[in-house]
Amino acid sequence: MLSTFKLLVGTFALPAIVLGAACGMRGDSPGTPAPAATATASPASAVNLQVIELATQPATQVTVVNPAPATATAAPAEPPPAVQEPLAVELPQVLSMRSDHAGPGLIILRFSTNVPVTADVQVMSNQSGPAFSWSETLDSAATEHEISIPANFGRYVVRIEDEFGNEAWGSLRYAADPQGIDFDNAPYAPALKAQTAKKLLVTWGFADGHPSSTGDPGRVVVFTKDAGCTTIDACVGEPTGPAVEGLVEHNPEADYHTVLATIPGSAFDYQVVIAQPLTDDASHVAFMQLEIRGDQLPKTNFAGPKTITR
């Protein structure tokens, strides 16, 4: 709705009042009063009025929205630090041990491991017990070690250690374990037989209750050398292939381990090494070294076909 307001605008002429005051000092004598002042009023002038109509625009309703009071925003919480997973570390193991004749009273001991290790090598004083007659430390970390040591009746021990301080052991015996400590003896003693010129049968066993009978099938590694190699030549045997895992026959009285290994023939001599873990984690492995020369192999393959082809 339009609202109309009337504004009165007037022009007013105010009566002019003329005041005259004359105070003069006449040449009269003192005390004579001055003539009275006279005021002359002019007639009042006309008052002019005007009516002005003002039109106002419709009132606009304005809604004022006060902003919500500011609140402090909590800083986002930092995520907890990620949990660092421990590095997977392959624990050290002695994979193989063997010896080679190196001259009067000496042998070359060779052993390999799964990770680089340092080692303490000991020549043991007896078939059992911790006493040793000679020792040496190998400070250079490696997976293949070779050292010349005094020969004895055939019991040698190495203690290996990786860069993290993890330890493991290997024990090597040559041909026999007469007291049946690491390997059983009597009817279960390790044995090697050439079935043919290219097949070697390796057997060993543990009577029921033997401390080395952990249930592990064990394995066999075969190394070859040229048949004409001598001590002076210092030939190093080469593996014929990867280790062969044993087959185990469990009987109430004993566990029988068997490996049938393939070899290249009578042109070579052979070192046959049995590896038998003595602990569940294979941190201690007992090794037995057996040997056979190429000229000891059968000349005829009786187990093969009737016609032999070269």
Side-chain angles (χ1 to χ4, degrees):
M1 172 184 288
L2 295 178
S3 301
T4 303
F5 298 92
K6 292 183 179 180
L7 178 64
L8 297 179
V9 180
T11 304
F12 299 92
L14 297 177
I17 300 174
V18 180
L19 296 177
C23 286
M25 294 297 297
R26 302 178 66 173
D28 300 330
S29 60
T32 303
T38 60
T40 304
S42 60
S45 59
V47 177
N48 297 325
L49 298 176
Q50 283 184 315
V51 177
I52 301 175
E53 291 187 357
L54 299 177
T56 62
Q57 295 297 324
T60 302
Q61 184 176 0
V62 178
T63 303
V64 177
V65 179
N66 291 325
T71 58
T73 302
E78 293 187 4
V83 177
Q84 296 293 331
E85 294 291 336
L87 295 176
V89 176
E90 184 178 4
L91 296 178
Q93 293 181 20
V94 182
L95 300 180
S96 71
M97 288 182 72
R98 68 189 195 277
S99 65
D100 287 296
H101 183 61
L106 292 175
I107 67 164
I108 299 294
L109 180 68
R110 296 183 173 94
F111 60 95
S112 63
T113 59
N114 59 329
V115 295
V117 296
T118 57
D120 293 326
V121 181
Q122 297 177 339
V123 177
M124 308 312 291
S125 301
N126 303 294
Q127 292 288 353
S128 62
F132 56 89
S133 59
W134 183 94
S135 69
E136 186 168 332
T137 298
L138 305 178
D139 293 323
S140 297
T143 57
E144 298 285 342
H145 289 275
E146 179 180 305
I147 183 174
S148 176
I149 63 176
N152 71 354
F153 48 81
R155 181 177 175 235
Y156 311 98
V157 172
V158 296
R159 183 195 67 84
I160 63 173
E161 182 175 332
D162 67 8
E163 61 177 319
F164 305 104
N166 299 307
E167 296 181 339
W169 290 262
S171 301
L172 174 64
R173 295 179 183 273
Y174 185 84
D177 185 357
Q179 296 180 0
I181 298 169
D182 294 334
F183 290 87
D184 211 336
N185 52 14
Y188 312 114
L192 172 62
K193 180 180 179 181
Q195 284 194 333
T196 72
K198 295 192 175 184
K199 294 290 184 181
L200 295 178
L201 180 64
V202 188
T203 59
W204 69 101
F206 297 103
D208 183 45
H210 192 283
S212 296
S213 184
T214 62
D216 192 294
R219 61 187 185 274
V220 169
V221 184
V222 180
F223 298 87
T224 64
K225 290 185 189 180
D226 287 338
C229 189
T230 65
T231 300
I232 297 176
D233 295 328
C235 298
V236 178
E238 297 293 335
T240 59
V244 181
E245 187 171 286
L247 298 176
V248 183
E249 179 184 347
H250 300 284
N251 289 323
E253 74 282 359
D255 289 341
Y256 297 94
H257 299 246
T258 304
V259 167
L260 187 61
T262 300
I263 57 175
S266 57
F268 301 92
D269 295 338
Y270 299 94
Q271 296 171 319
V272 179
V273 178
I274 302 171
Q276 180 64 54
L278 303 181
T279 56
D280 292 338
D281 60 358
S283 60
H284 191 172
V285 181
F287 297 91
M288 177 68 75
Q289 180 175 331
L290 306 174
E291 294 186 355
I292 189 169
R293 299 190 311 271
D295 59 12
Q296 294 175 309
L297 297 174
K299 305 302 180 185
T300 306
N301 187 359
F302 293 106
K306 295 180 179 179
T307 303
I308 298 177
T309 58
R310 295 186 181 275

